[in-house]
């Protein structure tokens, strides 16, 4: 019997994979390191090994697998299944769909990770029953996913939803995208103000100056080591400076959410990703309060703000559901 | 024979009406004052009189009219045909569709004005043949219209596309919407930085201090009298201060356009409305340059920026086309 799917949340340093039944139930979960070192073959080897491991755990074999879905970070050429940029892996224009299809002889779908995560929430999670949904996933960056009129909206080239790279403060901070300072010397991406990375850059200054002992203990003064759990521990310790920095990032996030309200007139905004997973309700409500202060009252009145139901599973689950749907 | 439509561009001080043939050709044009003084009946009387005048000019009568489309400013409850707010007319929650249908016994469609204008450009103008289009019309405010996957996107409650009220500079200027300063004392709407009103507020300071003689001559120091033609004349006079202010507004507009590129991944952005009509190519290219500097290069590369083909006709024509389509 066929009827199983695998879904990947493919990150630059690790991958998270699920084995999913036709009815959407998760059967097995697996975490593995993403290893490539500039070689697409090595990356695909690792993904295939993860699939085989998942199948073995469930006493299944490849003949029972129907399709594979992959959620990948950043820009994806959806039509052709190409991941445009994975700087951590030393790979650009990676034809992941073609490579995996050749190896597995199965349908493969490649989607932007937050598109996939938002789809999961829409299909059976926090946004079930809605037709107009914006998904925002703050983490290393801030990704966005758009469900418009009940359909995943990808734009002309599959690149829609880059909410993290909208400008909310022209004289804000430099962003990793590097796109916003070439002519006018201006920055101001939402992501540079509200992502985990933005918080981390400020926290290490506190750590270095003796004002955030738990951060110093957990991560030293290297901002790339300040994961969401490190931030959460510093917040829980009651450090007022840390709490203030996190609240500021949440308020900036709320501005980005407000812009989405005014542009899309959605029913619901679902916040996912690592930051909200670890910081929870207080963080979410601070962002919501800011959203309500910054959006048109006629549009924001009916908007609900909720946390992802699927948490760490969202992206990989959504990718597998999209693969199942496109196969059908 | 039936087969004619009327379309309205309903403004707070004047209305512009078209008589349109089934094939989309404009037969007659009419400008009239919008008069209401708080009375919906008086407003509807004026609109019916305009329709009768258009028909009379073309030697037609009401029996040959198939439907009426209205483009109205600001938020519109599309489902119920209600214009939520017309402050200049002293009217709120105006059930325009119901009132006009009762009087004319004809199908009536009420749509946001820039939605209608963008639809006209999509149906047969500057955006013909595209499937993913953002329309931005800077004038008194800045309205937006969205064509996503070949369909007009209205959001959950018909209020989508309020691009003018997205925040691009949190510590920017106070906006007429009054929504953005209630909690945090912050403003920063695109419209408060890039609309005709934004330019006008700066120009009257120049006028009052002897630095913009043509503005003083045309409009005095009352910013509400600084229309697009006044700005255009001051630019043509070669006044360097005026040119700089207009260029700054165009660059802010470009930031809003960049945000739309990163969110929607569109094929084309069409700029309409009074400001671009009067300021033309130089203004448009300044905005485009700023857009290209502020958007993700992978997404902006293929985006075209064009001026509205239908100009002053766009909103009324789009409204009549939408009415024709929804009737069919």
């Amino acid at each position: 019997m066929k009827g199983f799917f695998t879904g990947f949340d493919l990150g630059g340093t690790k991958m998270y994979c699920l084995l999913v039944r036709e009815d959407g139930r998760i059967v097995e979960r697996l975490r593995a390191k993403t290893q490539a070192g500039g070689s697409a073959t090595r990356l695909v080897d690792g993904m295939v090994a993860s699939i085989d491991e998942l199948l073995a755990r469930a006493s299944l074999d490849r003949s029972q697998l129907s399709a594979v879905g992959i959620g990948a970070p950043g820009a994806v050429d959806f039509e052709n299944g190409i991941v445009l940029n994975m700087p951590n892996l030393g790979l650009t224009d990676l034809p992941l769909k073609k490579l995996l299809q050749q190896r597995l002889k199965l349908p493969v779908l490649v989607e932007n990770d937050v598109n996939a995560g938002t789809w999961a929430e829409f299909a059976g999670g926090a946004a079930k029953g809605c037709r107009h949904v914006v998904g925002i996933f703050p983490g290393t960056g801030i990704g966005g996913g758009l469900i418009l009129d009940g359909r995943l909206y990808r734009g002309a080239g599959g690149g829609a939803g880059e909410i993290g790279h909208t400008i909310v403060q022209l004289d804000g901070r430099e962003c990793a995208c590097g796109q916003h300072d070439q002519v006018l010397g201006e920055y101001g991406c939402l992501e540079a103000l509200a992502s985990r990375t933005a918080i981390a850059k400020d926290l290490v200054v506190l750590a270095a100056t003796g004002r955030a002992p738990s951060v110093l203990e957990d991560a030293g003064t290297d901002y790339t080591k300040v994961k969401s759990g490190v931030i959460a521990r510093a917040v829980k310790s009651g450090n007022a400076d840390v709490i203030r920095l996190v609240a500021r990032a949440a308020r900036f996030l709320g501005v980005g959410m407000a812009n989405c309200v005014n542009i899309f007139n959605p029913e619901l905004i679902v916040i996912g990703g690592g930051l909200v997973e670890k910081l929870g309700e207080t963080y979410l409500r601070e962002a919501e309060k800011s959203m309500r202060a910054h959006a048109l009252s006629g549009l924001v009145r009916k908007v609900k703000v909720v946390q992802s139901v699927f948490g760490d599973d969202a992206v990989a689950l959504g990718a597998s559901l999209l693969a199942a749907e496109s196969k059908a």
Side-chain angles (χ1 to χ4, degrees), chain A:
Chain A
M1 186 198 99
K2 281 212 174 211
F4 291 87
F5 300 86
T6 52
F8 280 81
D9 181 350
L10 183 67
T13 56
K14 52 193 181 182
M15 58 175 86
Y16 182 59
C17 344
L18 299 178
L19 182 65
V20 178
R21 254 182 19 191
E22 207 161 16
D23 62 4
R25 227 178 70 186
I26 296 168
V27 182
E28 290 288 343
R29 293 172 171 83
L30 178 72
R31 279 177 206 282
K33 282 196 173 167
T34 309
Q35 286 173 320
S39 157
T41 308
R42 203 171 149 207
L43 174 67
V44 170
D45 286 346
M47 294 178 77
V48 171
S50 291
I51 291 170
D52 287 338
E53 168 69 20
L54 279 170
L55 290 168
R57 285 195 199 168
S59 307
L60 300 170
D61 60 49
R62 284 196 203 171
S63 71
Q64 289 162 292
L65 203 59
S66 294
V68 177
I70 299 151
V76 167
D77 173 347
F78 173 76
E79 227 39 72
N80 301 300
I82 295 170
V83 183
L84 297 181
N85 210 357
M86 296 209 67
N88 282 347
L89 304 182
L91 294 169
T92 54
D93 297 327
L94 173 70
L96 201 49
K97 177 177 174 161
K98 200 181 98 187
L99 293 173
L100 263 176
Q101 274 183 346
Q102 283 172 347
R103 283 285 286 277
L104 296 168
K105 316 289 179 207
L106 281 173
V108 173
L109 174 141
V110 183
E111 182 56 87
N112 167 269
D113 51 4
V114 179
N115 283 6
T118 305
W119 183 259
E121 298 296 337
F122 168 70
K128 198 175 171 177
C130 295
R131 288 187 63 77
H132 304 269
V133 179
V134 176
I136 307 181
F137 284 43
T140 311
I142 297 184
L146 307 170
I147 310 291
L148 307 181
D149 267 336
R151 304 188 303 172
L152 181 60
Y153 183 73
R154 298 184 175 97
E162 288 289 352
I163 292 162
H165 297 293
T166 57
I167 293 174
V168 296
Q169 171 88 17
L170 256 180
D171 55 2
R173 300 189 191 184
E174 185 159 6
C175 181
C177 71
Q179 299 304 333
H180 294 152
D181 58 341
Q182 297 175 348
V183 174
L184 301 173
E186 294 162 343
Y187 321 104
C189 284
L190 176 62
E191 163 167 325
L193 298 161
S195 64
R196 190 197 72 223
T197 311
I199 299 172
K201 281 181 182 168
D202 287 336
L203 279 193
V204 293
V205 176
L206 293 186
T209 52
R211 290 183 286 162
S214 83
V215 175
L216 192 62
E217 201 181 300
D218 292 345
T221 54
D222 178 351
Y223 82 94
T224 66
K225 301 221 165 12
V226 180
K227 303 299 176 192
S228 299
V230 175
I231 300 172
R233 194 162 94 91
V235 167
K236 278 199 194 95
S237 78
N239 184 318
D241 284 330
V242 175
I243 290 169
R244 182 179 48 78
L245 284 179
V246 170
R248 191 178 65 178
R251 286 199 303 271
F252 277 122
L253 181 65
V255 173
M257 291 158 68
N259 284 356
C260 289
V261 168
N262 291 350
I263 287 178
F264 294 109
N265 186 196
E267 298 156 87
L268 184 137
I269 295 182
V270 54
I271 307 293
L275 213 46
V276 75
E277 278 301 301
K278 298 292 185 192
L279 295 173
E281 197 65 11
T282 314
Y283 167 78
L284 192 68
R285 293 312 148 207
E286 189 80 39
E288 179 178 355
K289 197 170 77 178
S290 165
M291 176 194 84
R292 298 203 184 278
H294 288 95
L296 293 169
S297 59
L299 298 184
V300 83
R301 205 179 299 136
K302 294 182 185 169
V303 178
K304 279 186 214 150
V305 175
V306 295
Q307 186 174 340
S308 157
V309 159
F310 291 119
D312 288 345
D313 293 334
V315 171
L317 178 61
S320 74
L321 296 175
L322 284 165
E325 177 149 310
S326 78
K327 209 204 138 271

